[in-house]
Amino acid sequence: MDARIVVLPGDGIGPEVTAEALRVLEAVARKGGHAFHFSEQLMGGCSIDRHGTALTAEALAACKASRAVLLGAVGGPKWDDPTAKVRPEQGLLALRKGLGVFANLRPVTVHPALIDSSPLKADRLQGVDILVIRELTGGLYFGQPKGRDVRDGHERAVDTLEYFDFEVRRVVELAFRLAQGRRRKVTSVDKANVLESSRLWRQVASAIGQAHPGVALDHMLVDTASMRLVVAPASFDVVVTENMFGDILTDEASVLAGSMGMLPSASLGDGGPGLYEPIHGSAPDIAGQGVANPVGTILSAAMMLRHSLGLPAEAGAVEAAVHRAIADGCRTKDLGGSLQTSRMTDEILRRL
Ligand code: IPM
Ligand code: MG
């Protein structure tokens, strides 16, 4: 198989972790006789420094013309001024919107050997295997109007939580499809006791639930869900929710896995290129030291093999190699170990 892959290393530890994931993809290509053509583009703070914008039209066009995009992380203290007109995160939002990747898959599993790395009690973590699907191109992040004005002599700021029925339908339908290959349970998270957009969300989700009698559907309010995620995380299978609810709940869920550095994500649209990135940020405090955990990005590359490159066996092999390396005690600093970023990858490659 032949595929063009755009790499957006980004800022902070982004370039360090994407470099490791590329080593793994190259090993997969060598073994299977595949040709992956990688090309790099700037996105985030590095693009602001060079071009004055977080994502240029050329970089977006290159991503659109690819089979898949691998992203490291964006942002850092240098670009953190909240009054700045140009921000690294704008690049990420423009990329998600531009690629039309409306579903963000964030699987959360707890490796048995890492149970003690989590601040939660060990017995709560047995059997945790959650797939959070966060709506990614609508909701509070993109609703219009948004902005500032002055009203009655006071400065006012507005964000809008807006959903169309079709935006809810396509992401909830994906949740049901993916639940069919899992434990057949979907929890749709909303705030239907307060928000109109959530009442539409619930109505659409219920209709889809009725069309899928083989999958159990639960509705849960987002405040309850945030509590259940730490009290009974093993009770969740597939969780599907609004953009910002999903942003917040996945940071919370990442604590279950012992380190944010472990967790991958895939953002998928309707057949176009997929976007793959670890869920951690640019970690400016450890950037440039070669100590970042590459696992989240390597597992994101595995998701790319599965969802964009049609290579599910190879994806499984990468995941198994990561699993064995962790089981054998290989640990980067975030997990209390001392392996450098590239040594951790060496250990994974040896087991691939
Ligand atoms: C994430 C991040 C982003 C988001 C930021 C960096 C804009 O927190 O991917 O979860 O809020 O979507
Ligand atoms: Mg987030």
Side-chain angles (χ1 to χ4, degrees):
M1 97 107 49
D2 213 275
R4 268 199 293 195
I5 298 170
V6 170
V7 185
L8 305 169
D11 309 313
I13 60 170
E16 297 166 52
V17 291
T18 49
E20 303 305 316
L22 291 190
R23 290 176 62 203
V24 173
L25 287 173
E26 268 154 6
V28 166
R30 251 192 330 273
K31 276 182 217 280
H34 307 298
F36 300 152
H37 308 283
F38 300 109
S39 67
E40 253 187 42
Q41 297 286 338
L42 296 177
M43 208 267 277
C46 56
S47 175
I48 293 177
D49 288 351
R50 178 80 167 268
H51 301 294
T53 170
L55 179 71
T56 61
E58 292 73 32
L60 176 60
C63 292
K64 282 185 176 171
S66 74
R67 182 76 74 86
V69 179
L70 182 71
L71 165 65
V74 297
K78 183 173 174 194
W79 310 280
D80 250 359
D81 174 6
T83 64
K85 283 264 174 305
V86 200
R87 302 174 53 79
E89 293 79 7
Q90 292 164 342
L92 188 54
L93 299 190
L95 181 64
R96 290 169 176 171
K97 196 74 172 175
L99 292 176
V101 287
F102 57 80
N104 180 218
L105 278 49
R106 296 186 168 185
V108 179
T109 55
V110 183
H111 194 296
L114 293 182
I115 279 187
D116 291 330
S117 301
S118 168
L120 268 77
K121 290 204 176 77
D123 61 322
R124 304 278 159 100
L125 296 171
Q126 304 291 346
V128 169
D129 180 5
I130 309 172
L131 175 61
V132 182
I133 303 179
R134 165 187 175 192
E135 200 290 326
L136 201 60
T137 52
L140 202 46
Y141 276 52
F142 292 96
Q144 294 296 336
K146 88 197 310 27
R148 296 274 187 113
D149 60 9
V150 174
R151 175 129 358 148
D152 304 328
H154 294 284
E155 190 170 12
R156 188 176 76 125
V158 178
D159 292 287
T160 299
L161 208 180
E162 164 188 70
Y163 270 111
F164 285 91
D165 54 359
F166 74 91
E167 295 177 297
V168 180
R169 195 171 299 122
R170 62 191 180 184
V171 72
V172 174
E173 273 172 353
L174 179 66
F176 274 85
R177 274 205 300 286
L178 293 172
Q180 257 144 14
R182 297 174 47 98
R183 301 196 308 283
R184 299 178 162 268
K185 183 172 166 196
V186 171
T187 304
S188 172
V189 173
D190 62 36
K191 187 71 186 174
N193 53 347
V194 177
L195 301 175
E196 199 55 46
S197 57
S198 283
R199 288 191 278 273
L200 175 65
W201 184 286
R202 198 174 272 220
Q203 173 193 323
V204 172
S206 295
I208 297 168
Q210 270 159 23
H212 292 80
V215 175
L217 170 66
D218 253 355
H219 300 282
M220 196 179 284
L221 297 174
V222 63
D223 44 355
T224 307
S226 71
M227 181 265 287
R228 298 284 299 165
L229 259 181
V230 287
V231 172
S235 66
F236 291 98
D237 180 14
V238 175
V239 174
V240 63
T241 191
E242 187 268 339
N243 201 342
M244 192 165 86
F245 296 161
D247 177 46
I248 298 169
L249 291 178
T250 50
D251 263 35
E252 186 190 5
S254 74
V255 172
L256 306 169
S259 165
M260 273 207 133
M262 294 296 296
L263 296 178
S265 83
S267 303
L268 307 175
D270 224 352
L275 172 63
Y276 300 84
E277 53 177 313
I279 81 153
H280 63 69
S282 60
D285 51 320
I286 58 161
Q289 298 174 21
V291 298
N293 185 349
V295 166
T297 316
I298 291 172
L299 291 176
S300 301
M303 293 186 87
M304 175 191 291
L305 290 166
R306 178 176 293 115
H307 294 286
S308 285
L309 303 177
L311 298 172
E314 286 79 350
V318 171
E319 286 159 356
V322 168
H323 190 92
R324 279 196 296 275
I326 297 288
D328 293 344
C330 306
R331 301 278 186 279
T332 41
K333 198 169 159 203
D334 53 312
L335 298 170
S338 60
L339 283 182
Q340 297 274 113
T341 307
S342 60
R343 293 286 89 76
M344 183 72 185
T345 312
D346 294 345
E347 296 293 343
I348 292 165
L349 286 171
R350 279 210 296 136
R351 292 166 176 82
L352 183 65

